[in-house]
Amino acid sequence: MRLPATLAAALALSAVPASAQEVPAHAQDWSDPTSQHMVEVEGGRVWVRVNGIYTRDNPPVVFIHGGPGGTHLGFGGMLSLADERAVVLYDQLDSGMSERPEDPANWRVERFVAELEAIRQALGYERWHLVGHSWGAALALEYAAAYPQHTASAVLSGTFISTPHWITGTNLLIRELPDAVAADIIACESDTPPTPDVCGPATAAFYNAYNGRPDRPAPSPEALAYRQRYSGDGWNETVYNAMWGPSEFSARGSLVNYDATPLLARIDGSRTLFMVGQYDEARIDDVQDFVTLTPGAELAVVPGGSHAFFGERPAITEAILRSWLARMDAAQEETE
């Protein structure tokens, strides 16, 4: 993929008053932001929220959501990390709380990467940690390769960085389902699919196995209140269909030939963590191949988690991230 060029438009930051009270001594999951911002990027303005205080010794961490067309909502349980560093959440252009110009010209990988850099510049951070999930992992990888000087570390979670690898993986997972379910999914992906009453349950069976398992905890009252307040216009199916396609099992959009695996050799493997759930759509075997292509990289597997492990196993997910971020900060101090 072509790496992003310098934005032609000036980057500006306009603050929106936050409704939050003073930062608590110990940040809480799903808490209100310390500050909110609308950041000018190519194509429009994106909504950004920050919890915690920025210090040079503990670089901020930015969470990059999946999709394309998703929102930041799944990361609300990670705001407790703000007791040690600034935590940045944002919605990509055309989703959630951000503006929706609905211009297909904006739906390019390089623009989404430049969007992330615009946020860093607007907030005035020198370096930050990246946590990208699913489609967000591709953006984190692209950013780390393009802006190594601003990347404290990169966590590629629920790892999508290559459409061919992803499609191969999901089709292998289909074959691990009961034979009747697998046959229905394969039929539903054909040119002559059966009726929705067949395809709906079959697709749901895949998601229950690999993307939101039935034993996941119910959302807390705080999570439900947060989602009601900060969902904005929510998921953008138009962006998802245009860039990916109608299902997880086949890509027909602009990402159909996307493959960022060559970038793995360009990033600092010693500052790269791959993170997946035990039952993730991003198959452990595939992600292990990515680890091998990134000398020095590490792999964390969230026990019992699927692709939705941030919500299914929030405590262990937070613990893994907290330990990783602290270790990366300590390693940086040793080199200075």
Side-chain angles (χ1 to χ4, degrees), residues 1-6 42 108-111 113 142 146 258:
M1 301 294 292
R2 183 172 62 86
L3 296 178
T6 304
E42 179 186 350
R108 297 171 285 112
V109 172
E110 58 267 31
R111 195 215 61 81
V113 177
E142 294 267 1
Y258 179 75

Side-chain angles (χ1 to χ4, degrees), residues 260-284:
T261 53
L263 296 181
L264 296 174
R266 293 177 46 189
I267 63 175
D268 185 349
S270 69
R271 292 187 168 274
T272 304
L273 173 68
F274 293 86
M275 189 174 182
V276 292
Q278 180 180 354
Y279 305 107
D280 208 308
E281 265 188 284
R283 296 173 67 250
I284 294 175

Side-chain angles (χ1 to χ4, degrees), residues 14 30 40 46 94 96 134 138 151-152 155 164 177 250 287 301 327 335:
S14 56
W30 307 103
E40 293 281 350
V46 296
D94 280 314
S134 196
T151 302
V155 179
L177 296 170
S250 60
V287 177
V301 178
R327 190 151 51 90
T335 63

Side-chain angles (χ1 to χ4, degrees), residues 242-329:
M243 296 190 70
W244 182 257
S247 79
E248 295 290 283
F249 320 122
S250 60
R252 304 173 190 173
S254 60
L255 292 173
V256 63
N257 295 316
Y258 179 75
D259 185 2
T261 53
L263 296 181
L264 296 174
R266 293 177 46 189
I267 63 175
D268 185 349
S270 69
R271 292 187 168 274
T272 304
L273 173 68
F274 293 86
M275 189 174 182
V276 292
Q278 180 180 354
Y279 305 107
D280 208 308
E281 265 188 284
R283 296 173 67 250
I284 294 175
D285 287 351
D286 293 332
V287 177
Q288 183 62 65
D289 290 340
F290 298 151
V291 175
T292 301
L293 292 171
T294 318
E298 299 181 21
L299 172 64
V301 178
V302 179
S306 72
H307 196 57
F309 62 79
F310 276 92
E312 292 167 334
R313 301 291 187 268
I316 192 168
T317 299
E318 180 204 326
I320 291 171
L321 290 174
R322 188 181 292 274
S323 174
W324 168 261
L325 296 172
R327 190 151 51 90
M328 291 299 100
D329 290 346

Side-chain angles (χ1 to χ4, degrees), residues 25 27 29 43 87 98-99 107 120 139 147 154 161 221 248 292 304 316:
D29 298 350
V87 175
S98 293
E99 292 183 343
W107 303 340
R120 184 199 65 79
L139 298 181
Y147 300 101
I161 59 173
E248 295 290 283
T292 301
I316 192 168

